[in-house]
Amino acid sequence: MRYIPRMTTTVRIQSEPFDAAAEAKKLSGGRTDVGALVTFTGICRGNEGSEPIVALTLEHYPGMAEAEIERHVAEAVARWPLIGVTVIHRHGRIQPGEDIMMVATASSHRQAAFAAAEFLMDYLKTRAPFWKQVEKADGTTWVDAKATDDAAAERWAAPGRKHAAAE
Amino acid sequence: MRYIPRMTTTVRIQSEPFDAAAEAKKLSGGRTDVGALVTFTGICRGNEGSEPIVALTLEHYPGMAEAEIERHVAEAVARWPLIGVTVIHRHGRIQPGEDIMMVATASSHRQAAFAAAEFLMDYLKTRAPFWKQVEKADGTTWVDAKATDDAAAERWAAPGRKHAAAE
Amino acid sequence: MKLRYFAWVRERVGKAEEDVDVPDGVATIGELMTWLASRGEEYAHAFDNPKVIRAAIDKTHVKPQTPIGTASEIAFFPPMTGG
Amino acid sequence: MKLRYFAWVRERVGKAEEDVDVPDGVATIGELMTWLASRGEEYAHAFDNPKVIRAAIDKTHVKPQTPIGTASEIAFFPPMTGG
């Protein structure tokens, strides 16, 4: 009989800071079927090019942000043999050095955990309804979307692409 | 003038447990040029297929293990715009649920952090002189190397392969 | 029908949401953007390059050719920059 | 010359390391494995399939055709399974 793991998925949108390490630990704690845990943390940088950043402000579309992320988490769970997935994304004003968002993926095997984390990041960047405004000494501007992010997201949709689903 | 970040690399081989979250945090703490932090933790599972595992024992080649990992960390630093890399690998007897090893990579950009972490994992699996012995109720056996791990490591050497080096 | 605007689309339109009566003949998201652009200077500015504007019907991404149908909420916003 | 054995190569040979005088004519890692296999039952067992055995000279991976040269330490071990 195929082993069906107990699956844990968490999606949270919040203005409060979060503890990425503690959140990741929840995926592997108290169980012994997780062999690989990948955590990505996106952090607010203190500069853009050579210009200092005072803060980022993240606007989001409440309701749609959760739904869109949950849809991609469900797709990741369908594509890779995962045991747990956590996505937390902050909105509001965030200062340099603070965490903006995190993705954690747990699996029996490393390639599934890595692939799912990258897949979720690529989709979050291009499909989750969040918009970054950057605040500098001389005013605020909206961050432009990057063509490289669209390209990164598209590689997951390319026909015939093979995924390393297990070790 | 191109910004040259202060670079932190740490390679440790030890029998003692380590705190993966605290080690990863060291790469981004106290600085504001890290935008992306990827942490991989390899954890001792409690079963292999349907058979329970009592413990893993990791043998290693002292001196060569450090040198080999440091060589691959240096290669990762040369290939991707990284700000920090940490690799910690335990040896000795490890029980289910305990962390075996970790890789953490910090960069301004997510694709570099992900690529470098995967590269290091693929090389650690196939080139770092560690051997796992698995202890079950009916005795101990050496873990066989996996052909899929060799294939995973080879993709980094394939001529003409393009790396996403920056966002 | 409720319309919502985000990021610089919201700033240019000058409001986060509004209720509108969409005239007959406006059948798709693309046609709705063309109609909105005709509603005044701030709308013309917000929708002057509809190719870069993204839309969602009832919190799901849609394309310009998608029919409005019986949507209760339509949102317009720039390309997303989260993560 | 110091030889070191790891994992099941060590278990089969029955020791972790030893000093040996390599006879003339044994010039490469592959030839060294062939010579070792002739040294007794435990060595024959350890080296009966030299294709699966990996080697390092002075803590650097080498291939079977690599000359021994002036190595001070040569190690033999199975494919690695760390990570």
Side-chain angles (χ1 to χ4, degrees), chain B residues 77-131:
Chain B
V77 166
R79 282 171 92 147
W80 292 281
L82 301 174
I83 294 169
V85 179
T86 296
V87 179
I88 300 175
H89 203 307
R90 290 178 65 191
H91 60 84
R93 194 161 183 275
I94 294 175
Q95 287 180 298
E98 287 183 50
D99 292 345
I100 301 170
M101 54 80 61
M102 69 169 286
V103 166
T105 53
S107 176
S108 294
H109 297 291
R110 80 181 185 287
Q111 283 140 336
F114 269 123
E118 287 195 72
F119 165 87
L120 286 168
M121 282 307 304
D122 287 343
Y123 271 93
L124 276 167
K125 286 265 173 191
T126 56
R127 303 280 292 180
F130 287 86
W131 300 272

Coordinates of all heavy atoms in Angstrom, one line a residue, chain B residues 77-131:
Chain B
V77 N 30.6 30.2 -5.2 CA 30.8 31.7 -5.0 C 31.3 32.3 -6.4 O 30.9 33.4 -6.7 CB 31.8 31.9 -3.9 CG1 32.4 33.3 -3.9 CG2 31.2 31.6 -2.6
A78 N 32.0 31.5 -7.1 CA 32.5 32.0 -8.4 C 31.4 32.0 -9.5 O 31.4 32.8 -10.4 CB 33.7 31.1 -8.9
R79 N 30.4 31.1 -9.3 CA 29.4 31.0 -10.4 C 28.2 31.9 -10.1 O 27.5 32.2 -11.1 CB 28.9 29.5 -10.4 CG 29.8 28.6 -11.2 CD 29.4 27.2 -11.0 NE 28.5 26.7 -12.1 CZ 28.5 25.5 -12.5 NH1 29.4 24.6 -12.1 NH2 27.7 25.1 -13.5
W80 N 27.9 32.2 -8.9 CA 26.7 33.0 -8.6 C 27.0 34.1 -7.7 O 28.0 34.0 -6.9 CB 25.6 32.1 -7.9 CG 25.0 31.1 -8.8 CD1 24.1 31.3 -9.8 CD2 25.4 29.7 -8.9 NE1 23.8 30.1 -10.4 CE2 24.6 29.1 -9.9 CE3 26.3 28.9 -8.2 CZ2 24.7 27.7 -10.2 CZ3 26.4 27.5 -8.5 CH2 25.6 27.0 -9.5
P81 N 26.3 35.2 -7.8 CA 26.5 36.4 -7.0 C 26.0 36.2 -5.5 O 25.0 36.6 -5.2 CB 25.8 37.5 -7.7 CG 24.7 36.9 -8.4 CD 25.2 35.5 -8.8
L82 N 26.9 35.5 -4.7 CA 26.4 35.2 -3.4 C 27.0 36.1 -2.4 O 28.1 36.7 -2.6 CB 26.9 33.7 -3.0 CG 26.3 32.7 -4.0 CD1 27.0 31.3 -3.7 CD2 24.8 32.6 -3.9
I83 N 26.4 36.2 -1.2 CA 26.9 37.1 -0.1 C 27.4 36.2 1.0 O 28.2 36.5 1.7 CB 25.7 38.0 0.3 CG1 25.4 39.0 -0.8 CG2 26.1 38.7 1.6 CD1 24.1 39.8 -0.5
G84 N 26.8 35.0 1.1 CA 27.2 34.1 2.2 C 26.8 32.7 1.9 O 25.8 32.4 1.2
V85 N 27.6 31.7 2.4 CA 27.3 30.3 2.2 C 27.7 29.6 3.5 O 28.8 29.8 4.0 CB 28.1 29.6 1.1 CG1 27.8 28.2 1.0 CG2 27.9 30.4 -0.2
T86 N 26.8 28.7 4.0 CA 27.2 27.9 5.2 C 26.8 26.4 4.8 O 25.8 26.1 4.3 CB 26.3 28.3 6.4 OG1 26.7 29.6 6.8 CG2 26.6 27.4 7.6
V87 N 27.8 25.6 5.1 CA 27.6 24.1 5.0 C 28.0 23.5 6.3 O 29.1 23.7 6.7 CB 28.4 23.5 3.8 CG1 28.1 22.0 3.7 CG2 28.0 24.2 2.5
I88 N 27.1 22.7 6.9 CA 27.4 22.0 8.1 C 27.0 20.5 7.8 O 25.9 20.3 7.4 CB 26.7 22.5 9.3 CG1 27.2 24.0 9.5 CG2 27.0 21.7 10.6 CD1 26.4 24.7 10.6
H89 N 27.9 19.6 8.1 CA 27.6 18.2 7.9 C 28.0 17.4 9.1 O 29.1 17.5 9.6 CB 28.3 17.6 6.7 CG 27.6 16.4 6.0 ND1 27.3 15.3 6.7 CD2 27.2 16.2 4.8 CE1 26.8 14.4 5.9 NE2 26.7 15.0 4.7
R90 N 27.1 16.6 9.7 CA 27.4 15.8 10.8 C 28.0 14.4 10.4 O 27.7 13.9 9.3 CB 26.2 15.6 11.7 CG 25.7 16.8 12.4 CD 24.4 16.6 13.2 NE 24.7 15.6 14.3 CZ 23.8 15.0 15.1 NH1 22.5 15.3 14.8 NH2 24.1 14.2 16.0
H91 N 28.8 13.8 11.3 CA 29.2 12.4 11.2 C 28.8 11.7 12.5 O 28.4 12.4 13.5 CB 30.7 12.3 10.9 CG 31.6 12.9 11.9 ND1 31.9 12.3 13.0 CD2 32.1 14.2 12.0 CE1 32.7 13.0 13.8 NE2 32.8 14.2 13.2
G92 N 28.9 10.4 12.5 CA 28.6 9.6 13.7 C 27.2 9.2 13.6 O 26.5 9.1 12.6
R93 N 26.6 8.8 14.8 CA 25.3 8.1 14.8 C 24.2 9.2 15.0 O 24.3 10.1 15.8 CB 25.3 7.2 16.0 CG 24.1 6.2 16.0 CD 24.4 5.0 17.0 NE 23.3 4.1 16.9 CZ 22.2 4.2 17.7 NH1 22.0 5.2 18.5 NH2 21.2 3.2 17.6
I94 N 23.2 9.1 14.1 CA 22.2 10.1 14.1 C 20.8 9.4 14.1 O 20.6 8.4 13.4 CB 22.3 11.0 12.8 CG1 23.6 11.8 12.9 CG2 21.1 11.9 12.6 CD1 24.0 12.5 11.6
Q95 N 19.9 9.9 14.9 CA 18.6 9.2 15.1 C 17.5 9.9 14.3 O 17.6 11.0 14.0 CB 18.3 9.1 16.6 CG 19.2 8.1 17.3 CD 18.9 8.0 18.8 OE1 19.0 8.9 19.5 NE2 18.5 6.8 19.2
P96 N 16.5 9.1 14.0 CA 15.4 9.7 13.2 C 14.8 11.0 13.8 O 14.7 11.1 15.0 CB 14.3 8.6 13.3 CG 15.1 7.3 13.3 CD 16.3 7.7 14.2
G97 N 14.6 11.9 12.9 CA 14.1 13.3 13.4 C 15.3 14.3 13.6 O 15.0 15.5 13.6
E98 N 16.5 13.8 13.7 CA 17.6 14.7 13.9 C 18.1 15.2 12.5 O 18.1 14.5 11.5 CB 18.8 14.0 14.6 CG 18.6 13.7 16.0 CD 19.9 13.0 16.6 OE1 21.0 13.6 16.4 OE2 19.8 12.0 17.3
D99 N 18.6 16.4 12.5 CA 19.2 17.0 11.3 C 20.6 16.3 11.0 O 21.4 16.1 11.9 CB 19.5 18.5 11.5 CG 18.2 19.3 11.6 OD1 17.1 18.7 11.3 OD2 18.2 20.5 12.0
I100 N 20.8 16.0 9.7 CA 22.0 15.4 9.3 C 23.0 16.5 8.8 O 24.2 16.5 9.1 CB 21.8 14.4 8.1 CG1 20.9 13.3 8.6 CG2 23.1 13.8 7.6 CD1 20.4 12.4 7.4
M101 N 22.5 17.4 8.0 CA 23.3 18.4 7.4 C 22.5 19.6 6.9 O 21.2 19.5 6.9 CB 24.1 17.8 6.2 CG 23.3 17.1 5.1 SD 22.5 18.2 4.0 CE 24.0 19.0 3.3
M102 N 23.1 20.7 6.6 CA 22.4 21.8 6.1 C 23.3 22.6 5.1 O 24.5 22.5 5.2 CB 22.0 22.8 7.2 CG 23.2 23.5 7.9 SD 22.7 24.8 9.0 CE 22.2 26.1 7.8
V103 N 22.6 23.3 4.2 CA 23.3 24.2 3.3 C 22.4 25.5 3.4 O 21.2 25.4 3.3 CB 23.3 23.7 1.9 CG1 23.6 24.8 0.9 CG2 24.3 22.6 1.7
A104 N 23.1 26.6 3.6 CA 22.3 27.9 3.5 C 23.1 28.8 2.6 O 24.3 28.9 2.6 CB 22.2 28.6 4.9
T105 N 22.3 29.5 1.7 CA 22.9 30.5 0.7 C 22.2 31.8 0.8 O 21.0 31.8 0.9 CB 22.8 29.9 -0.7 OG1 21.5 29.6 -0.9 CG2 23.7 28.7 -0.9
A106 N 23.0 32.9 0.8 CA 22.4 34.2 0.9 C 22.8 35.0 -0.3 O 24.0 34.9 -0.7 CB 22.8 34.9 2.2
S107 N 21.9 35.7 -0.9 CA 22.2 36.5 -2.1 C 21.3 37.8 -2.1 O 20.3 37.8 -1.4 CB 22.0 35.7 -3.4 OG 22.3 36.5 -4.5
S108 N 21.6 38.7 -3.0 CA 20.6 39.8 -3.3 C 19.4 39.2 -4.0 O 18.3 39.8 -3.9 CB 21.3 40.9 -4.1 OG 22.3 41.5 -3.4
H109 N 19.6 38.1 -4.7 CA 18.5 37.7 -5.6 C 18.2 36.2 -5.5 O 19.1 35.4 -5.3 CB 18.9 38.0 -7.1 CG 19.1 39.5 -7.3 ND1 18.0 40.3 -7.3 CD2 20.2 40.2 -7.5 CE1 18.5 41.6 -7.5 NE2 19.8 41.5 -7.6
R110 N 16.9 35.9 -5.6 CA 16.5 34.5 -5.2 C 17.1 33.5 -6.1 O 17.4 32.4 -5.7 CB 15.0 34.5 -5.2 CG 14.3 34.3 -6.5 CD 12.8 34.2 -6.4 NE 12.1 34.0 -7.6 CZ 11.9 34.8 -8.6 NH1 12.5 36.0 -8.5 NH2 11.2 34.5 -9.7
Q111 N 17.2 33.8 -7.4 CA 17.6 32.7 -8.3 C 19.0 32.2 -8.0 O 19.3 31.0 -8.1 CB 17.4 33.1 -9.8 CG 15.9 33.0 -10.2 CD 15.4 34.1 -11.0 OE1 16.0 35.2 -11.1 NE2 14.3 33.8 -11.8
A112 N 19.9 33.1 -7.7 CA 21.3 32.8 -7.3 C 21.3 31.9 -6.1 O 22.0 30.9 -6.0 CB 22.1 34.0 -7.1
A113 N 20.5 32.3 -5.1 CA 20.5 31.6 -3.8 C 19.9 30.2 -4.0 O 20.5 29.2 -3.5 CB 19.6 32.3 -2.8
F114 N 18.9 30.0 -4.8 CA 18.3 28.7 -5.1 C 19.3 27.8 -5.9 O 19.6 26.7 -5.5 CB 17.0 28.8 -5.9 CG 15.8 28.8 -5.0 CD1 14.9 29.9 -5.2 CD2 15.5 27.8 -4.1 CE1 13.7 29.9 -4.4 CE2 14.3 27.9 -3.4 CZ 13.4 28.9 -3.5
A115 N 19.9 28.4 -6.9 CA 20.8 27.6 -7.8 C 22.0 27.2 -7.0 O 22.4 26.0 -7.1 CB 21.2 28.5 -9.0
A116 N 22.6 28.0 -6.2 CA 23.8 27.7 -5.5 C 23.5 26.6 -4.4 O 24.3 25.7 -4.2 CB 24.4 28.9 -4.8
A117 N 22.3 26.7 -3.8 CA 22.0 25.7 -2.8 C 21.8 24.3 -3.4 O 22.3 23.3 -2.9 CB 20.7 26.1 -2.0
E118 N 21.1 24.3 -4.6 CA 20.9 23.0 -5.3 C 22.2 22.4 -5.8 O 22.5 21.2 -5.7 CB 19.9 23.2 -6.4 CG 18.5 23.4 -5.9 CD 17.5 23.2 -7.0 OE1 17.3 22.0 -7.5 OE2 17.0 24.2 -7.5
F119 N 23.0 23.3 -6.3 CA 24.4 22.9 -6.8 C 25.2 22.2 -5.7 O 25.7 21.1 -5.8 CB 25.1 24.1 -7.4 CG 26.6 24.0 -7.6 CD1 27.1 23.5 -8.8 CD2 27.5 24.4 -6.6 CE1 28.4 23.4 -9.0 CE2 28.8 24.3 -6.8 CZ 29.3 23.7 -8.0
L120 N 25.2 22.9 -4.5 CA 26.0 22.4 -3.4 C 25.4 21.0 -2.9 O 26.2 20.1 -2.7 CB 26.0 23.4 -2.3 CG 27.0 24.6 -2.6 CD1 26.7 25.7 -1.5 CD2 28.4 24.1 -2.5
M121 N 24.1 20.9 -2.9 CA 23.5 19.7 -2.5 C 23.8 18.5 -3.4 O 24.2 17.4 -3.0 CB 22.0 19.8 -2.3 CG 21.5 20.5 -1.1 SD 22.2 19.8 0.4 CE 21.7 18.1 0.2
D122 N 23.7 18.8 -4.7 CA 24.0 17.8 -5.7 C 25.4 17.3 -5.6 O 25.7 16.1 -5.7 CB 23.7 18.3 -7.1 CG 22.2 18.4 -7.4 OD1 21.4 17.8 -6.6 OD2 21.8 19.1 -8.3
Y123 N 26.3 18.2 -5.4 CA 27.7 17.8 -5.3 C 28.0 17.1 -3.9 O 28.8 16.2 -3.9 CB 28.7 19.0 -5.5 CG 29.0 19.1 -7.0 CD1 28.2 19.9 -7.8 CD2 30.0 18.3 -7.5 CE1 28.5 19.9 -9.2 CE2 30.2 18.3 -8.9 CZ 29.5 19.2 -9.7 OH 29.7 19.2 -11.0
L124 N 27.4 17.6 -2.9 CA 27.6 17.0 -1.6 C 27.2 15.5 -1.6 O 27.9 14.6 -1.1 CB 26.8 17.6 -0.5 CG 27.4 18.9 0.1 CD1 26.3 19.6 0.9 CD2 28.5 18.5 1.0
K125 N 26.1 15.2 -2.3 CA 25.6 13.9 -2.4 C 26.5 12.9 -3.1 O 26.6 11.7 -2.8 CB 24.2 13.9 -3.2 CG 23.1 14.4 -2.4 CD 22.3 13.3 -1.7 CE 21.3 13.9 -0.8 NZ 20.7 12.8 0.1
T126 N 27.3 13.5 -4.1 CA 28.0 12.6 -5.0 C 29.5 12.7 -4.8 O 30.3 11.8 -5.3 CB 27.7 12.8 -6.4 OG1 27.9 14.2 -6.7 CG2 26.2 12.5 -6.7
R127 N 30.0 13.8 -4.2 CA 31.5 14.0 -4.2 C 32.1 14.2 -2.8 O 33.3 14.0 -2.6 CB 31.8 15.3 -5.0 CG 31.4 15.2 -6.4 CD 32.2 14.4 -7.3 NE 33.5 15.1 -7.5 CZ 34.5 14.6 -8.3 NH1 34.4 13.4 -8.9 NH2 35.7 15.2 -8.4
A128 N 31.2 14.5 -1.8 CA 31.8 14.7 -0.5 C 32.0 13.3 0.2 O 31.0 12.5 0.2 CB 30.9 15.6 0.4
P129 N 33.1 13.0 0.7 CA 33.4 11.7 1.2 C 32.7 11.4 2.6 O 33.4 11.4 3.6 CB 35.0 11.6 1.3 CG 35.4 13.1 1.5 CD 34.3 13.9 0.8
F130 N 31.4 11.0 2.4 CA 30.6 10.6 3.6 C 29.9 9.3 3.1 O 29.6 9.2 1.9 CB 29.5 11.6 3.9 CG 30.0 12.8 4.6 CD1 30.5 13.9 3.8 CD2 30.0 12.9 6.0 CE1 30.9 15.1 4.5 CE2 30.5 14.1 6.6 CZ 30.9 15.1 5.9
W131 N 29.8 8.4 4.0 CA 29.1 7.1 3.7 C 28.1 6.8 4.8 O 28.4 6.8 6.0 CB 30.1 6.0 3.6 CG 31.1 6.2 2.5 CD1 30.9 5.9 1.2 CD2 32.3 6.9 2.7 NE1 32.0 6.4 0.5 CE2 32.9 7.0 1.4 CE3 33.0 7.5 3.7 CZ2 34.1 7.6 1.1 CZ3 34.2 8.1 3.5 CH2 34.8 8.1 2.2

